[in-house]
Amino acid sequence: MAPASLTGLILAGGQARRMQAGAAGAGGHEHPVQMHGLHAGVQPHRMGPAVDKGLLDLRGEPLVAHARRFLAPHVGSLLISANRHEQLYARYGEVVADDPALGSGLGPLAGVERALALMQTPWLLVLPVDVVNLPAGLVGQLMGAVHAEDAPIAYAITPERAHPLCMALHAGLAQSMRAYLLAGDRKVQLWQDRHHAVPVVFEGTDLFFNINTPDDLRYASQCGKS
C-alpha cells in the first residue's frame, strides 16, 4: 500500500513512572535516567516523579526519534500523541493532544481517538514509543492482514503475548472509538475484539521489547535494539 494512504501515530506521551529519576546500581549509587533534549542545567528529577517515555535517551537519541525512523518510510504523514513537552516532540512530527472533552487519565486509546478524528488517510498505523526491536515486516504484514481478512484492525502478537497497541486500523472506526471512551471503557483488546481484530503472529528473539524500567533501557542500549 502506498504511504500516501497511511498516517503514522506514535504514542509518545506516557509517563515513565517506574523510571523515577534513576535506579540504584552497585554500591547503592543512583544512575540517572537521561531525558533527551532538555536544556542545560535541567535534570530529570527536576521534571517531577516521572519522565516522559518518548524523551528517554537511547543511544544518543530520544525514543520518539527511533519510532519515527521506523514509521516514516511507510506513511505519508506522522502524528505524535503527547500532552506535554509539545515543542520537543514537534521536532519529530505533528503533535496532537488528547481531547479534554473526553476527560483525563484515559490511557493510550485517547491518543488513537485524536488521530482517527484528525487524519486525512483511510488507514492509521499505531506504535507505542517504548516498544523497540520491531520486525522489519511489521507494517506490511499488518496491512496485508487487514486486506486479506477484510478486517478493520490488525495487531501484533508473539508466542509469548499480544501487543495490541502495535496495530493498523481503519479511519471508519473513529466514532466507535470515541463512543467507547465516553462510555468509560479503557481496555484496548476489548475494543479490538468488538471489531473482530486480526492477530498477526511475529516470531523472533526479544521482538517488541518494552522499555518500562531503567534496567530495560540499559538492556535495549547494550543490545542495539531500535
PDB file of all heavy atoms in Angstrom, residues 1 6 123-125 137-157 166-170 195-202:
ATOM      1  N   MET A   1       0.846  -1.191   0.000  1.00  0.00           N
ATOM      2  CA  MET A   1       0.000   0.000   0.000  1.00  0.00           C
ATOM      3  C   MET A   1       0.886   1.247   0.000  1.00  0.00           C
ATOM      4  O   MET A   1       1.900   1.302   0.697  1.00  0.00           O
ATOM      5  CB  MET A   1      -0.915   0.013   1.217  1.00  0.00           C
ATOM      6  CG  MET A   1      -1.780   1.259   1.333  1.00  0.00           C
ATOM      7  SD  MET A   1      -3.002   1.145   2.653  1.00  0.00           S
ATOM      8  CE  MET A   1      -4.162  -0.001   1.908  1.00  0.00           C
ATOM      9  N   LEU A   6      -1.536   6.077   4.302  1.00  0.00           N
ATOM     10  CA  LEU A   6      -1.326   5.730   5.697  1.00  0.00           C
ATOM     11  C   LEU A   6      -0.867   6.939   6.511  1.00  0.00           C
ATOM     12  O   LEU A   6      -0.022   7.714   6.071  1.00  0.00           O
ATOM     13  CB  LEU A   6      -0.251   4.639   5.813  1.00  0.00           C
ATOM     14  CG  LEU A   6      -0.461   3.366   4.994  1.00  0.00           C
ATOM     15  CD1 LEU A   6       0.759   2.472   5.111  1.00  0.00           C
ATOM     16  CD2 LEU A   6      -1.698   2.631   5.461  1.00  0.00           C
ATOM     17  N   TRP A 123      -6.159   4.780   6.520  1.00  0.00           N
ATOM     18  CA  TRP A 123      -5.588   3.840   7.482  1.00  0.00           C
ATOM     19  C   TRP A 123      -4.630   4.545   8.440  1.00  0.00           C
ATOM     20  O   TRP A 123      -3.954   5.491   8.071  1.00  0.00           O
ATOM     21  CB  TRP A 123      -4.837   2.717   6.759  1.00  0.00           C
ATOM     22  CG  TRP A 123      -5.753   1.784   6.032  1.00  0.00           C
ATOM     23  CD1 TRP A 123      -6.066   1.831   4.699  1.00  0.00           C
ATOM     24  CD2 TRP A 123      -6.479   0.697   6.589  1.00  0.00           C
ATOM     25  NE1 TRP A 123      -6.939   0.832   4.391  1.00  0.00           N
ATOM     26  CE2 TRP A 123      -7.221   0.110   5.525  1.00  0.00           C
ATOM     27  CE3 TRP A 123      -6.579   0.144   7.868  1.00  0.00           C
ATOM     28  CZ2 TRP A 123      -8.045  -0.993   5.723  1.00  0.00           C
ATOM     29  CZ3 TRP A 123      -7.413  -0.953   8.067  1.00  0.00           C
ATOM     30  CH2 TRP A 123      -8.124  -1.516   7.002  1.00  0.00           C
ATOM     31  N   LEU A 124      -4.598   4.019   9.683  1.00  0.00           N
ATOM     32  CA  LEU A 124      -3.720   4.528  10.731  1.00  0.00           C
ATOM     33  C   LEU A 124      -2.820   3.399  11.208  1.00  0.00           C
ATOM     34  O   LEU A 124      -3.286   2.288  11.481  1.00  0.00           O
ATOM     35  CB  LEU A 124      -4.550   5.050  11.909  1.00  0.00           C
ATOM     36  CG  LEU A 124      -3.781   5.616  13.109  1.00  0.00           C
ATOM     37  CD1 LEU A 124      -3.080   6.908  12.732  1.00  0.00           C
ATOM     38  CD2 LEU A 124      -4.736   5.838  14.292  1.00  0.00           C
ATOM     39  N   LEU A 125      -1.531   3.683  11.322  1.00  0.00           N
ATOM     40  CA  LEU A 125      -0.558   2.751  11.878  1.00  0.00           C
ATOM     41  C   LEU A 125      -0.107   3.273  13.236  1.00  0.00           C
ATOM     42  O   LEU A 125       0.386   4.394  13.333  1.00  0.00           O
ATOM     43  CB  LEU A 125       0.650   2.615  10.955  1.00  0.00           C
ATOM     44  CG  LEU A 125       0.389   1.940   9.609  1.00  0.00           C
ATOM     45  CD1 LEU A 125       1.572   2.140   8.681  1.00  0.00           C
ATOM     46  CD2 LEU A 125       0.127   0.457   9.809  1.00  0.00           C
ATOM     47  N   GLY A 137       9.182  -6.376   8.850  1.00  0.00           N
ATOM     48  CA  GLY A 137       7.962  -6.547   8.063  1.00  0.00           C
ATOM     49  C   GLY A 137       6.686  -6.189   8.788  1.00  0.00           C
ATOM     50  O   GLY A 137       5.582  -6.531   8.315  1.00  0.00           O
ATOM     51  N   LEU A 138       6.781  -5.482   9.916  1.00  0.00           N
ATOM     52  CA  LEU A 138       5.594  -5.205  10.731  1.00  0.00           C
ATOM     53  C   LEU A 138       4.487  -4.517   9.942  1.00  0.00           C
ATOM     54  O   LEU A 138       3.341  -4.983   9.910  1.00  0.00           O
ATOM     55  CB  LEU A 138       5.987  -4.344  11.936  1.00  0.00           C
ATOM     56  CG  LEU A 138       4.833  -3.870  12.827  1.00  0.00           C
ATOM     57  CD1 LEU A 138       4.135  -5.038  13.495  1.00  0.00           C
ATOM     58  CD2 LEU A 138       5.333  -2.871  13.878  1.00  0.00           C
ATOM     59  N   VAL A 139       4.802  -3.409   9.302  1.00  0.00           N
ATOM     60  CA  VAL A 139       3.770  -2.633   8.613  1.00  0.00           C
ATOM     61  C   VAL A 139       3.160  -3.432   7.473  1.00  0.00           C
ATOM     62  O   VAL A 139       1.932  -3.517   7.333  1.00  0.00           O
ATOM     63  CB  VAL A 139       4.350  -1.301   8.096  1.00  0.00           C
ATOM     64  CG1 VAL A 139       3.308  -0.548   7.278  1.00  0.00           C
ATOM     65  CG2 VAL A 139       4.826  -0.439   9.261  1.00  0.00           C
ATOM     66  N   GLY A 140       4.004  -4.048   6.648  1.00  0.00           N
ATOM     67  CA  GLY A 140       3.499  -4.817   5.523  1.00  0.00           C
ATOM     68  C   GLY A 140       2.612  -5.967   5.935  1.00  0.00           C
ATOM     69  O   GLY A 140       1.583  -6.235   5.296  1.00  0.00           O
ATOM     70  N   GLN A 141       2.979  -6.653   7.016  1.00  0.00           N
ATOM     71  CA  GLN A 141       2.181  -7.790   7.450  1.00  0.00           C
ATOM     72  C   GLN A 141       0.864  -7.365   8.090  1.00  0.00           C
ATOM     73  O   GLN A 141      -0.164  -8.022   7.910  1.00  0.00           O
ATOM     74  CB  GLN A 141       2.994  -8.661   8.399  1.00  0.00           C
ATOM     75  CG  GLN A 141       4.104  -9.420   7.684  1.00  0.00           C
ATOM     76  CD  GLN A 141       4.931 -10.275   8.621  1.00  0.00           C
ATOM     77  OE1 GLN A 141       6.109 -10.010   8.836  1.00  0.00           O
ATOM     78  NE2 GLN A 141       4.325 -11.298   9.192  1.00  0.00           N
ATOM     79  N   LEU A 142       0.875  -6.266   8.834  1.00  0.00           N
ATOM     80  CA  LEU A 142      -0.376  -5.770   9.404  1.00  0.00           C
ATOM     81  C   LEU A 142      -1.342  -5.328   8.304  1.00  0.00           C
ATOM     82  O   LEU A 142      -2.530  -5.673   8.319  1.00  0.00           O
ATOM     83  CB  LEU A 142      -0.112  -4.608  10.362  1.00  0.00           C
ATOM     84  CG  LEU A 142       0.591  -4.932  11.679  1.00  0.00           C
ATOM     85  CD1 LEU A 142       0.796  -3.663  12.492  1.00  0.00           C
ATOM     86  CD2 LEU A 142      -0.198  -5.955  12.493  1.00  0.00           C
ATOM     87  N   MET A 143      -0.825  -4.587   7.330  1.00  0.00           N
ATOM     88  CA  MET A 143      -1.686  -4.126   6.247  1.00  0.00           C
ATOM     89  C   MET A 143      -2.125  -5.296   5.364  1.00  0.00           C
ATOM     90  O   MET A 143      -3.259  -5.324   4.865  1.00  0.00           O
ATOM     91  CB  MET A 143      -0.955  -3.071   5.418  1.00  0.00           C
ATOM     92  CG  MET A 143      -0.656  -1.782   6.174  1.00  0.00           C
ATOM     93  SD  MET A 143      -2.084  -1.075   7.035  1.00  0.00           S
ATOM     94  CE  MET A 143      -3.209  -0.798   5.647  1.00  0.00           C
ATOM     95  N   GLY A 144      -1.248  -6.270   5.172  1.00  0.00           N
ATOM     96  CA  GLY A 144      -1.641  -7.449   4.425  1.00  0.00           C
ATOM     97  C   GLY A 144      -2.774  -8.202   5.102  1.00  0.00           C
ATOM     98  O   GLY A 144      -3.684  -8.715   4.438  1.00  0.00           O
ATOM     99  N   ALA A 145      -2.743  -8.245   6.429  1.00  0.00           N
ATOM    100  CA  ALA A 145      -3.771  -8.971   7.177  1.00  0.00           C
ATOM    101  C   ALA A 145      -5.137  -8.298   7.082  1.00  0.00           C
ATOM    102  O   ALA A 145      -6.155  -8.975   6.902  1.00  0.00           O
ATOM    103  CB  ALA A 145      -3.346  -9.099   8.636  1.00  0.00           C
ATOM    104  N   VAL A 146      -5.182  -6.964   7.207  1.00  0.00           N
ATOM    105  CA  VAL A 146      -6.489  -6.307   7.148  1.00  0.00           C
ATOM    106  C   VAL A 146      -7.123  -6.480   5.767  1.00  0.00           C
ATOM    107  O   VAL A 146      -8.359  -6.626   5.647  1.00  0.00           O
ATOM    108  CB  VAL A 146      -6.407  -4.806   7.515  1.00  0.00           C
ATOM    109  CG1 VAL A 146      -6.043  -4.638   8.978  1.00  0.00           C
ATOM    110  CG2 VAL A 146      -5.446  -4.036   6.622  1.00  0.00           C
ATOM    111  N   HIS A 147      -6.310  -6.487   4.725  1.00  0.00           N
ATOM    112  CA  HIS A 147      -6.856  -6.659   3.378  1.00  0.00           C
ATOM    113  C   HIS A 147      -7.219  -8.110   3.103  1.00  0.00           C
ATOM    114  O   HIS A 147      -8.274  -8.393   2.521  1.00  0.00           O
ATOM    115  CB  HIS A 147      -5.859  -6.129   2.350  1.00  0.00           C
ATOM    116  CG  HIS A 147      -5.715  -4.646   2.378  1.00  0.00           C
ATOM    117  ND1 HIS A 147      -6.767  -3.778   2.145  1.00  0.00           N
ATOM    118  CD2 HIS A 147      -4.643  -3.855   2.646  1.00  0.00           C
ATOM    119  CE1 HIS A 147      -6.353  -2.533   2.249  1.00  0.00           C
ATOM    120  NE2 HIS A 147      -5.072  -2.551   2.556  1.00  0.00           N
ATOM    121  N   ALA A 148      -6.388  -9.040   3.537  1.00  0.00           N
ATOM    122  CA  ALA A 148      -6.663 -10.455   3.300  1.00  0.00           C
ATOM    123  C   ALA A 148      -7.908 -10.915   4.044  1.00  0.00           C
ATOM    124  O   ALA A 148      -8.688 -11.736   3.540  1.00  0.00           O
ATOM    125  CB  ALA A 148      -5.457 -11.298   3.708  1.00  0.00           C
ATOM    126  N   GLU A 149      -8.101 -10.391   5.260  1.00  0.00           N
ATOM    127  CA  GLU A 149      -9.233 -10.797   6.095  1.00  0.00           C
ATOM    128  C   GLU A 149     -10.420  -9.846   5.992  1.00  0.00           C
ATOM    129  O   GLU A 149     -11.445 -10.071   6.644  1.00  0.00           O
ATOM    130  CB  GLU A 149      -8.788 -10.899   7.553  1.00  0.00           C
ATOM    131  CG  GLU A 149      -7.649 -11.871   7.800  1.00  0.00           C
ATOM    132  CD  GLU A 149      -8.067 -13.312   7.569  1.00  0.00           C
ATOM    133  OE1 GLU A 149      -9.264 -13.620   7.731  1.00  0.00           O
ATOM    134  OE2 GLU A 149      -7.185 -14.124   7.227  1.00  0.00           O
ATOM    135  N   ASP A 150     -10.276  -8.787   5.199  1.00  0.00           N
ATOM    136  CA  ASP A 150     -11.315  -7.757   5.088  1.00  0.00           C
ATOM    137  C   ASP A 150     -11.721  -7.283   6.486  1.00  0.00           C
ATOM    138  O   ASP A 150     -12.904  -7.200   6.832  1.00  0.00           O
ATOM    139  CB  ASP A 150     -12.528  -8.274   4.324  1.00  0.00           C
ATOM    140  CG  ASP A 150     -13.482  -7.151   3.912  1.00  0.00           C
ATOM    141  OD1 ASP A 150     -13.021  -5.990   3.793  1.00  0.00           O
ATOM    142  OD2 ASP A 150     -14.686  -7.426   3.732  1.00  0.00           O
ATOM    143  N   ALA A 151     -10.705  -6.967   7.287  1.00  0.00           N
ATOM    144  CA  ALA A 151     -10.910  -6.581   8.686  1.00  0.00           C
ATOM    145  C   ALA A 151     -10.532  -5.120   8.878  1.00  0.00           C
ATOM    146  O   ALA A 151      -9.671  -4.594   8.177  1.00  0.00           O
ATOM    147  CB  ALA A 151     -10.057  -7.461   9.600  1.00  0.00           C
ATOM    148  N   PRO A 152     -11.140  -4.455   9.863  1.00  0.00           N
ATOM    149  CA  PRO A 152     -10.799  -3.046  10.112  1.00  0.00           C
ATOM    150  C   PRO A 152      -9.588  -2.844  11.003  1.00  0.00           C
ATOM    151  O   PRO A 152      -9.085  -1.730  11.123  1.00  0.00           O
ATOM    152  CB  PRO A 152     -12.059  -2.502  10.782  1.00  0.00           C
ATOM    153  CG  PRO A 152     -12.613  -3.673  11.518  1.00  0.00           C
ATOM    154  CD  PRO A 152     -12.302  -4.880  10.675  1.00  0.00           C
ATOM    155  N   ILE A 153      -9.109  -3.914  11.661  1.00  0.00           N
ATOM    156  CA  ILE A 153      -7.982  -3.810  12.589  1.00  0.00           C
ATOM    157  C   ILE A 153      -7.121  -5.063  12.489  1.00  0.00           C
ATOM    158  O   ILE A 153      -7.646  -6.181  12.396  1.00  0.00           O
ATOM    159  CB  ILE A 153      -8.431  -3.678  14.060  1.00  0.00           C
ATOM    160  CG1 ILE A 153      -9.493  -2.604  14.246  1.00  0.00           C
ATOM    161  CG2 ILE A 153      -7.228  -3.397  14.979  1.00  0.00           C
ATOM    162  CD1 ILE A 153     -10.099  -2.594  15.637  1.00  0.00           C
ATOM    163  N   ALA A 154      -5.808  -4.865  12.549  1.00  0.00           N
ATOM    164  CA  ALA A 154      -4.870  -5.972  12.760  1.00  0.00           C
ATOM    165  C   ALA A 154      -3.852  -5.527  13.794  1.00  0.00           C
ATOM    166  O   ALA A 154      -3.475  -4.350  13.831  1.00  0.00           O
ATOM    167  CB  ALA A 154      -4.171  -6.362  11.461  1.00  0.00           C
ATOM    168  N   TYR A 155      -3.428  -6.445  14.645  1.00  0.00           N
ATOM    169  CA  TYR A 155      -2.450  -6.105  15.669  1.00  0.00           C
ATOM    170  C   TYR A 155      -1.428  -7.234  15.793  1.00  0.00           C
ATOM    171  O   TYR A 155      -1.652  -8.368  15.358  1.00  0.00           O
ATOM    172  CB  TYR A 155      -3.116  -5.835  17.025  1.00  0.00           C
ATOM    173  CG  TYR A 155      -3.810  -7.038  17.628  1.00  0.00           C
ATOM    174  CD1 TYR A 155      -3.150  -7.873  18.522  1.00  0.00           C
ATOM    175  CD2 TYR A 155      -5.138  -7.331  17.307  1.00  0.00           C
ATOM    176  CE1 TYR A 155      -3.784  -8.967  19.079  1.00  0.00           C
ATOM    177  CE2 TYR A 155      -5.779  -8.429  17.844  1.00  0.00           C
ATOM    178  CZ  TYR A 155      -5.103  -9.244  18.739  1.00  0.00           C
ATOM    179  OH  TYR A 155      -5.735 -10.344  19.274  1.00  0.00           O
ATOM    180  N   ALA A 156      -0.290  -6.912  16.401  1.00  0.00           N
ATOM    181  CA  ALA A 156       0.815  -7.857  16.505  1.00  0.00           C
ATOM    182  C   ALA A 156       0.694  -8.739  17.738  1.00  0.00           C
ATOM    183  O   ALA A 156       0.240  -8.299  18.801  1.00  0.00           O
ATOM    184  CB  ALA A 156       2.141  -7.096  16.544  1.00  0.00           C
ATOM    185  N   ILE A 157       1.100  -9.998  17.585  1.00  0.00           N
ATOM    186  CA  ILE A 157       1.258 -10.891  18.729  1.00  0.00           C
ATOM    187  C   ILE A 157       2.553 -11.675  18.528  1.00  0.00           C
ATOM    188  O   ILE A 157       3.035 -11.848  17.410  1.00  0.00           O
ATOM    189  CB  ILE A 157       0.072 -11.862  18.920  1.00  0.00           C
ATOM    190  CG1 ILE A 157      -0.056 -12.811  17.718  1.00  0.00           C
ATOM    191  CG2 ILE A 157      -1.224 -11.109  19.142  1.00  0.00           C
ATOM    192  CD1 ILE A 157      -1.042 -13.934  17.968  1.00  0.00           C
ATOM    193  N   CYS A 166       0.406  -2.131  18.907  1.00  0.00           N
ATOM    194  CA  CYS A 166       1.122  -2.168  17.627  1.00  0.00           C
ATOM    195  C   CYS A 166       0.099  -2.631  16.594  1.00  0.00           C
ATOM    196  O   CYS A 166      -0.075  -3.833  16.356  1.00  0.00           O
ATOM    197  CB  CYS A 166       2.301  -3.117  17.694  1.00  0.00           C
ATOM    198  SG  CYS A 166       3.594  -2.615  18.836  1.00  0.00           S
ATOM    199  N   MET A 167      -0.606  -1.690  16.016  1.00  0.00           N
ATOM    200  CA  MET A 167      -1.763  -2.064  15.195  1.00  0.00           C
ATOM    201  C   MET A 167      -1.955  -1.153  13.993  1.00  0.00           C
ATOM    202  O   MET A 167      -1.435  -0.032  13.937  1.00  0.00           O
ATOM    203  CB  MET A 167      -3.036  -2.048  16.038  1.00  0.00           C
ATOM    204  CG  MET A 167      -3.434  -0.693  16.587  1.00  0.00           C
ATOM    205  SD  MET A 167      -5.071  -0.748  17.403  1.00  0.00           S
ATOM    206  CE  MET A 167      -4.997   0.735  18.400  1.00  0.00           C
ATOM    207  N   ALA A 168      -2.730  -1.676  13.042  1.00  0.00           N
ATOM    208  CA  ALA A 168      -3.241  -0.906  11.914  1.00  0.00           C
ATOM    209  C   ALA A 168      -4.753  -0.895  12.034  1.00  0.00           C
ATOM    210  O   ALA A 168      -5.359  -1.930  12.339  1.00  0.00           O
ATOM    211  CB  ALA A 168      -2.817  -1.549  10.596  1.00  0.00           C
ATOM    212  N   LEU A 169      -5.362   0.258  11.817  1.00  0.00           N
ATOM    213  CA  LEU A 169      -6.818   0.337  11.913  1.00  0.00           C
ATOM    214  C   LEU A 169      -7.373   1.364  10.938  1.00  0.00           C
ATOM    215  O   LEU A 169      -6.678   2.288  10.511  1.00  0.00           O
ATOM    216  CB  LEU A 169      -7.268   0.644  13.330  1.00  0.00           C
ATOM    217  CG  LEU A 169      -6.921   1.987  13.968  1.00  0.00           C
ATOM    218  CD1 LEU A 169      -7.825   2.210  15.193  1.00  0.00           C
ATOM    219  CD2 LEU A 169      -5.470   2.036  14.439  1.00  0.00           C
ATOM    220  N   HIS A 170      -8.654   1.166  10.585  1.00  0.00           N
ATOM    221  CA  HIS A 170      -9.304   1.973   9.555  1.00  0.00           C
ATOM    222  C   HIS A 170      -9.916   3.234  10.139  1.00  0.00           C
ATOM    223  O   HIS A 170     -10.407   3.253  11.281  1.00  0.00           O
ATOM    224  CB  HIS A 170     -10.383   1.153   8.855  1.00  0.00           C
ATOM    225  CG  HIS A 170     -10.845   1.761   7.575  1.00  0.00           C
ATOM    226  ND1 HIS A 170     -11.921   2.639   7.506  1.00  0.00           N
ATOM    227  CD2 HIS A 170     -10.362   1.653   6.313  1.00  0.00           C
ATOM    228  CE1 HIS A 170     -12.081   3.026   6.253  1.00  0.00           C
ATOM    229  NE2 HIS A 170     -11.164   2.448   5.508  1.00  0.00           N
ATOM    230  N   HIS A 195     -14.530  -5.426  17.156  1.00  0.00           N
ATOM    231  CA  HIS A 195     -14.438  -5.193  15.713  1.00  0.00           C
ATOM    232  C   HIS A 195     -13.700  -6.326  14.993  1.00  0.00           C
ATOM    233  O   HIS A 195     -13.245  -6.151  13.862  1.00  0.00           O
ATOM    234  CB  HIS A 195     -13.724  -3.855  15.470  1.00  0.00           C
ATOM    235  CG  HIS A 195     -14.520  -2.676  15.946  1.00  0.00           C
ATOM    236  ND1 HIS A 195     -15.587  -2.159  15.251  1.00  0.00           N
ATOM    237  CD2 HIS A 195     -14.417  -1.934  17.077  1.00  0.00           C
ATOM    238  CE1 HIS A 195     -16.093  -1.139  15.910  1.00  0.00           C
ATOM    239  NE2 HIS A 195     -15.414  -0.976  17.025  1.00  0.00           N
ATOM    240  N   HIS A 196     -13.625  -7.479  15.659  1.00  0.00           N
ATOM    241  CA  HIS A 196     -13.044  -8.686  15.051  1.00  0.00           C
ATOM    242  C   HIS A 196     -11.636  -8.420  14.523  1.00  0.00           C
ATOM    243  O   HIS A 196     -11.307  -8.753  13.383  1.00  0.00           O
ATOM    244  CB  HIS A 196     -13.961  -9.207  13.943  1.00  0.00           C
ATOM    245  CG  HIS A 196     -15.381  -9.403  14.378  1.00  0.00           C
ATOM    246  ND1 HIS A 196     -15.755 -10.399  15.245  1.00  0.00           N
ATOM    247  CD2 HIS A 196     -16.507  -8.695  14.094  1.00  0.00           C
ATOM    248  CE1 HIS A 196     -17.072 -10.324  15.464  1.00  0.00           C
ATOM    249  NE2 HIS A 196     -17.542  -9.297  14.791  1.00  0.00           N
ATOM    250  N   ALA A 197     -10.819  -7.819  15.376  1.00  0.00           N
ATOM    251  CA  ALA A 197      -9.438  -7.528  15.006  1.00  0.00           C
ATOM    252  C   ALA A 197      -8.676  -8.817  14.709  1.00  0.00           C
ATOM    253  O   ALA A 197      -8.895  -9.851  15.345  1.00  0.00           O
ATOM    254  CB  ALA A 197      -8.748  -6.761  16.127  1.00  0.00           C
ATOM    255  N   VAL A 198      -7.767  -8.737  13.748  1.00  0.00           N
ATOM    256  CA  VAL A 198      -6.985  -9.893  13.316  1.00  0.00           C
ATOM    257  C   VAL A 198      -5.618  -9.875  14.002  1.00  0.00           C
ATOM    258  O   VAL A 198      -4.864  -8.900  13.859  1.00  0.00           O
ATOM    259  CB  VAL A 198      -6.790  -9.870  11.789  1.00  0.00           C
ATOM    260  CG1 VAL A 198      -5.914 -11.037  11.348  1.00  0.00           C
ATOM    261  CG2 VAL A 198      -8.135  -9.900  11.078  1.00  0.00           C
ATOM    262  N   PRO A 199      -5.266 -10.932  14.742  1.00  0.00           N
ATOM    263  CA  PRO A 199      -3.905 -11.012  15.308  1.00  0.00           C
ATOM    264  C   PRO A 199      -2.922 -11.503  14.248  1.00  0.00           C
ATOM    265  O   PRO A 199      -3.210 -12.423  13.488  1.00  0.00           O
ATOM    266  CB  PRO A 199      -4.063 -12.034  16.438  1.00  0.00           C
ATOM    267  CG  PRO A 199      -5.196 -12.914  15.994  1.00  0.00           C
ATOM    268  CD  PRO A 199      -6.121 -12.046  15.182  1.00  0.00           C
ATOM    269  N   VAL A 200      -1.768 -10.875  14.193  1.00  0.00           N
ATOM    270  CA  VAL A 200      -0.718 -11.257  13.240  1.00  0.00           C
ATOM    271  C   VAL A 200       0.491 -11.721  14.050  1.00  0.00           C
ATOM    272  O   VAL A 200       1.034 -10.965  14.850  1.00  0.00           O
ATOM    273  CB  VAL A 200      -0.342 -10.076  12.327  1.00  0.00           C
ATOM    274  CG1 VAL A 200       0.740 -10.497  11.339  1.00  0.00           C
ATOM    275  CG2 VAL A 200      -1.575  -9.560  11.592  1.00  0.00           C
ATOM    276  N   VAL A 201       0.901 -12.963  13.831  1.00  0.00           N
ATOM    277  CA  VAL A 201       1.958 -13.574  14.636  1.00  0.00           C
ATOM    278  C   VAL A 201       3.341 -13.203  14.093  1.00  0.00           C
ATOM    279  O   VAL A 201       3.603 -13.315  12.891  1.00  0.00           O
ATOM    280  CB  VAL A 201       1.812 -15.105  14.667  1.00  0.00           C
ATOM    281  CG1 VAL A 201       2.921 -15.731  15.514  1.00  0.00           C
ATOM    282  CG2 VAL A 201       0.440 -15.495  15.212  1.00  0.00           C
ATOM    283  N   PHE A 202       4.224 -12.781  15.009  1.00  0.00           N
ATOM    284  CA  PHE A 202       5.624 -12.496  14.700  1.00  0.00           C
ATOM    285  C   PHE A 202       6.486 -13.322  15.647  1.00  0.00           C
ATOM    286  O   PHE A 202       6.206 -13.396  16.837  1.00  0.00           O
ATOM    287  CB  PHE A 202       5.943 -11.015  14.879  1.00  0.00           C
ATOM    288  CG  PHE A 202       5.209 -10.117  13.930  1.00  0.00           C
ATOM    289  CD1 PHE A 202       3.937  -9.637  14.253  1.00  0.00           C
ATOM    290  CD2 PHE A 202       5.780  -9.740  12.722  1.00  0.00           C
ATOM    291  CE1 PHE A 202       3.248  -8.802  13.376  1.00  0.00           C
ATOM    292  CE2 PHE A 202       5.106  -8.911  11.843  1.00  0.00           C
ATOM    293  CZ  PHE A 202       3.839  -8.442  12.172  1.00  0.00           C
TER     294      PHE A 202
END
